[in-house]
Amino acid sequence: MAGTLFFDGNCGMCTRARDFLVRHNRTGDLETEPLQAPSVAERLGVPEDRLLDSVRWLDQSGAVYSGAEAANAAVSVALGTRLPILIYRIPGIRQAEEAVYRWVADHRYRFPGKTPYCESHPVAC
């Protein structure tokens, strides 16, 4: 399974997480794009005003995931194992991961990070 992870390119913590995932991409099947790139909302079928609510994953079949499920799908593809997404789907785990994800996403600009992707790659945003 291959796909594209869409992340908040104006967030230093999100950029750091994206870079970590890219460095550990064993399969080469993981692509990344900032949510601020042109036409992303249309490609994902997400309204513009909800686009930055969470990380998004677009798999090769056209399915779109968001939040912790998207993060787990991206990690699964990068590592070449379905284990992260299978663990996520265990009853109770999904709810716990989504609650933690939502809290982190809502506070993401408060966490340390690095130069946001869109600052270092303005053409992509």
Side-chain angles (χ1 to χ4, degrees), residues 81-92:
T81 177
R82 295 189 54 82
L83 193 58
I85 198 71
L86 292 173
I87 291 171
Y88 170 81
R89 293 190 174 138
I90 294 172

Side-chain angles (χ1 to χ4, degrees), residues 40-63:
V40 168
E42 291 173 22
R43 286 174 53 204
L44 296 175
V46 176
E48 285 282 342
D49 63 333
R50 305 237 13 239
L51 191 59
L52 293 174
D53 288 354
S54 66
V55 66
R56 312 282 176 175
W57 174 257
L58 175 65
D59 74 15
Q60 62 191 14
S61 73

Side-chain angles (χ1 to χ4, degrees), residues 13-73:
M13 182 205 70
C14 304
T15 300
R16 181 180 299 252
R18 174 251 178 219
D19 290 353
F20 180 84
L21 198 53
V22 167
R23 275 194 315 275
H24 293 88
N25 182 9
R26 297 179 188 166
T27 66
D29 292 332
L30 172 73
E31 300 287 329
T32 65
E33 285 187 44
L35 288 164
Q36 290 82 359
S39 305
V40 168
E42 291 173 22
R43 286 174 53 204
L44 296 175
V46 176
E48 285 282 342
D49 63 333
R50 305 237 13 239
L51 191 59
L52 293 174
D53 288 354
S54 66
V55 66
R56 312 282 176 175
W57 174 257
L58 175 65
D59 74 15
Q60 62 191 14
S61 73
V64 177
Y65 308 126
S66 63
E69 185 174 26
N72 278 286

